Amino acid sequence: MNYISTRNKNNKVPPSKAILDGIAADGGLYVPESFPLFTDSDFEGMAEMPYPERLATVLSRFLTDFTYQELLDYATAADAKFDGDSCPLVKVDDDVYIIELFHGPTSAFKDMALSVMPYLMKAAKDKLNEKNKTLILVATSGDTGKAALEGFKDADGIDIMVFYPFDGVSGIQKAQMTTTEGNNVCVTAVKGNFDDAQTAVKNIFGDKEFGEKLLNKGIALSSANSINIGRLIPQIAYYISAYVDLLGAGETEKGEAVNFVVPTGNFGNILAAYYAKKSGLPINKLICASNKNNILTDFFSAGEYDTDRTFYKTASPSMDILVSSNLERLLFDVSGGDDKMISSLMKDLKQNGKFSVSHSMLAALDSLIAAGYAEEKETTLTIENFYNSYEYLLDPHTAVAVSVYENYINSCSDDAKTVIVSTASPYKFAVDVYYALTSTRVTDHFNALKKLNAYTGLDIPDGLQDLDLKTPRFNGVVKKDEIKDAVRQFVSEK
Ligand SMILES: *Cc1c(COP(=O)(O)O)cnc(C)c1O
């Protein structure tokens, strides 16, 4: 199976090349040319498997130039980095379940893909006989950065640079990134928000002259953001896993469609759910949950994507995004692969900061996706109420999803079983979670971690313990137009 660019379908590459390049040369995103179809008996078979086998089964249908055995080896090695089950499904109420995706080394769902992706990237280099050094550039809203650093630190033949918004991540997220180990890593703060960092990094990928200069030094750029299809394909597996867990536990009947509620930022996670649906997973509605940065809610209601609006910093910083890259992939698919139309929309976005889709396109999106958002106050209240009702502690991102789901269910009659996608450990956002529970604002992040532990008795994840005792290794701050210089400098020091 090949992958094609959303901006030019004739630009066609095998899976390994799509992963290694990270983004298509024409600026488009690689998408599967076709989708495999999983049948009821495939799902029944997977219900019997441990997670690494489920993951390898899904990967093998999408990454056809890798063998099943290779993929199983990578999935098994990735799984070993998790604390217990990779993605347990917890029943919280009648017909409502939570899939926990935060048991990886960095306590956020980004680990689900980034613990396996470095193996895929290294194998892709071997398959393509790529001798250049790979330099991965990452723009992060907080969680991708650390998960990518953990995944790629000390990887042979691969270096990684992470750019995070200076004021836009939680104190714990920042400490996780700046104390990272490894000799092939660099972490830099950017004066600006996530969109500024992501745009600057995307511009570097599009800068042919700069790319040539690096290639002359034996360095090829790649990406570990969800613009890289190597991030999205592993994420399809946990949607299928949640479904077959429900089936295996007798909670659903064969073929019964369920809802997934996804706290959304760059639209990668929810796009993986859509790809699962395309591959035969019975999904009723995909519920796209945003925080106060509700550009997606507006888009799905009116068909206009307009970035000319206030950017808010919220308690769910990993969703503080106005330019959701992976929407491009959804629009490409829903338009039947209209690469010309996508190119023109993306040109509008670049030149005018907005684009609009047709009524028929909006209607098609409406049948797939329900979108909503939560104000900050609702998020806080949801954390408190959910803890009081179920003794279950939500992180602010997952609380956004729960709040949006509650509004959804109150406004329509949908009795499909629903899985809430939980994307982070509450400890990553200890200050805000502790405030939601107690109305007390502790300013020190590490103190909040301890207080939250004393209040709830929940274990602090290993990776977040003793972070305050580690010395930060990186304190560089650059302006958004200096990111390229930072790359130049990192390369020259190597
Ligand atoms: C990245 C992230 C999100 C948003 O996921 P996207 O794939 O960017 O939509 C939500 N919650 C948390 C905790 C995250 O780290």
Side-chain angles (χ1 to χ4, degrees):
M1 187 217 281
N2 284 315
Y3 286 74
I4 52 178
S5 165
T6 48
R7 299 190 197 174
N8 178 1
K9 284 195 278 192
N10 296 324
N11 185 354
K12 198 178 283 193
V13 297
S16 52
K17 179 84 175 137
I19 292 173
L20 188 58
D21 286 356
I23 189 168
D26 55 33
L29 305 181
Y30 283 121
V31 295
E33 191 180 24
S34 61
F35 286 84
L37 198 61
F38 293 98
T39 60
D40 280 343
S41 77
D42 288 328
F43 294 132
E44 276 165 359
M46 276 192 258
E48 309 289 316
M49 296 176 186
Y51 188 69
E53 284 176 37
R54 292 177 185 174
L55 175 57
T57 302
V58 173
L59 293 177
S60 69
R61 301 287 289 271
F62 281 92
L63 306 179
T64 45
D65 55 357
F66 293 75
T67 66
Y68 177 78
Q69 191 54 49
E70 268 180 286
L71 295 168
L72 183 61
D73 289 346
Y74 308 152
T76 305
D79 189 68
K81 296 179 188 155
F82 281 68
D83 185 11
D85 276 354
S86 285
C87 48
L89 189 71
V90 179
K91 182 169 182 165
V92 284
D93 202 349
D94 286 347
D95 301 341
V96 183
Y97 310 80
I98 293 186
I99 181 169
E100 296 182 344
L101 302 178
F102 54 78
H103 296 288
T106 76
S107 305
F109 92 95
K110 306 295 197 293
D111 289 324
M112 297 301 296
L114 281 163
S115 56
V116 72
M117 191 179 158
Y119 297 103
L120 298 175
M121 184 132 354
K122 275 182 265 175
K125 288 187 79 170
D126 289 344
K127 284 178 201 298
L128 298 164
N129 200 17
E130 165 72 307
K131 298 285 183 246
N132 287 312
K133 179 154 227 167
T134 304
L135 174 58
I136 295 178
L137 302 182
V138 176
T140 182
S141 57
D143 286 331
T144 291
K146 179 60 178 178
L149 289 162
E150 270 310 295
F152 284 102
K153 73 178 178 200
D154 293 329
D156 267 349
I158 302 179
D159 289 342
I160 173 166
M161 290 189 84
V162 168
F163 297 95
Y164 70 92
F166 183 61
D167 270 333
V169 300
S170 86
I172 303 279
Q173 288 177 315
K174 181 175 170 183
Q176 281 185 298
M177 289 189 276
T178 57
T179 60
T180 281
E181 288 152 21
N183 290 319
N184 61 336
V185 304
C186 178
V187 179
T188 306
V190 178
K191 284 188 193 147
N193 58 38
F194 169 75
D195 292 314
D196 296 325
Q198 173 162 260
T199 303
V201 166
K202 273 193 180 172
N203 286 343
I204 294 179
F205 288 128
D207 184 338
K208 298 226 158 58
E209 204 186 313
F210 188 58
E212 288 294 320
K213 274 193 190 141
L214 290 178
L215 270 180
N216 287 337
K217 296 186 180 188
I219 298 167
L221 294 175
S222 187
S223 158
N225 280 102
S226 54
I227 54 176
N228 191 323
I229 193 73
R231 273 282 296 282
L232 297 181
I233 303 297
Q235 293 180 183
I236 298 169
Y238 53 73
Y239 287 99
I240 295 180
S241 182
Y243 185 81
V244 303
D245 276 346
L246 287 174
L247 210 57
E251 297 281 330
T252 50
E253 314 262 329
K254 194 156 99 180
E256 182 180 337
V258 301
N259 299 321
F260 284 100
V261 192
V262 189
T264 295
N266 219 6
F267 211 76
N269 202 358
I270 195 166
L271 187 85
Y274 173 68
Y275 280 179
K277 182 177 168 114
K278 291 278 295 181
S279 308
L281 195 70
I283 294 181
N284 179 48
K285 278 275 179 197
L286 292 172
I287 302 171
C288 175
S290 300
N291 65 23
K292 202 173 169 188
N293 293 295
N294 59 355
I295 186 165
L296 287 166
T297 319
D298 287 351
F299 172 69
F300 286 112
S301 95
E304 188 186 48
Y305 196 89
D306 187 354
T307 59
D308 182 16
R309 55 174 65 220
T310 310
F311 178 95
Y312 297 104
K313 277 195 280 177
T314 72
S316 45
S318 297
M319 295 157 67
D320 291 346
I321 295 178
L322 295 183
V323 184
S324 297
S325 296
N326 286 293
L327 185 60
E328 178 172 346
R329 286 183 162 118
L330 178 71
L331 299 180
F332 178 82
D333 198 80
V334 172
S335 70
D338 190 342
D339 52 357
K340 303 244 162 22
M341 196 255 300
I342 296 297
S343 300
S344 128
L345 295 185
M346 293 304 132
K347 205 164 132 202
D348 286 348
L349 182 64
K350 191 161 186 178
Q351 287 174 352
N352 311 317
K354 60 179 165 189
F355 65 79
S356 297
V357 298
S358 65
H359 287 296
S360 61
M361 178 87 144
L362 187 59
L365 292 171
D366 194 47
S367 67
L368 284 169
I369 291 188
Y373 75 100
E375 293 284 352
E376 290 296 273
K377 229 196 184 124
E378 291 178 281
T379 306
T380 306
L381 264 178
T382 301
I383 294 174
E384 185 189 9
N385 291 341
F386 211 77
Y387 188 69
N388 292 338
S389 305
Y390 305 108
E391 267 187 61
Y392 188 98
L393 192 61
L394 299 166
D395 97 283
H397 304 74
T398 312
V400 166
V402 169
S403 172
V404 167
Y405 174 65
E406 284 169 351
N407 290 337
Y408 169 79
I409 213 72
N410 287 334
S411 67
C412 73
S413 54
D414 178 352
D415 55 12
K417 302 208 166 66
T418 297
V419 178
I420 313 269
V421 176
S422 175
T423 49
S425 159
Y427 280 111
K428 277 197 110 158
F429 307 94
V431 169
D432 288 298
V433 173
Y434 188 71
Y435 173 74
L437 294 182
T438 65
S439 301
T440 310
R441 193 162 275 287
V442 181
T443 48
D444 180 79
H445 295 274
F446 302 110
N447 193 12
L449 205 73
K450 284 168 194 141
K451 287 202 150 167
L452 189 60
N453 171 251
Y455 189 88
T456 63
L458 286 173
D459 290 339
I460 301 176
D462 286 348
L464 302 183
Q465 291 200 22
D466 302 331
L467 262 184
D468 48 337
L469 306 178
K470 292 191 181 159
T471 315
R473 292 175 59 206
F474 303 97
N475 52 17
V477 187
V478 299
K479 297 198 196 111
K480 60 187 176 185
D481 56 6
E482 293 169 347
I483 290 185
K484 203 155 112 183
D485 295 329
V487 175
R488 257 190 220 111
Q489 186 175 347
F490 180 67
V491 166
S492 71
E493 283 166 3
K494 279 265 133 188

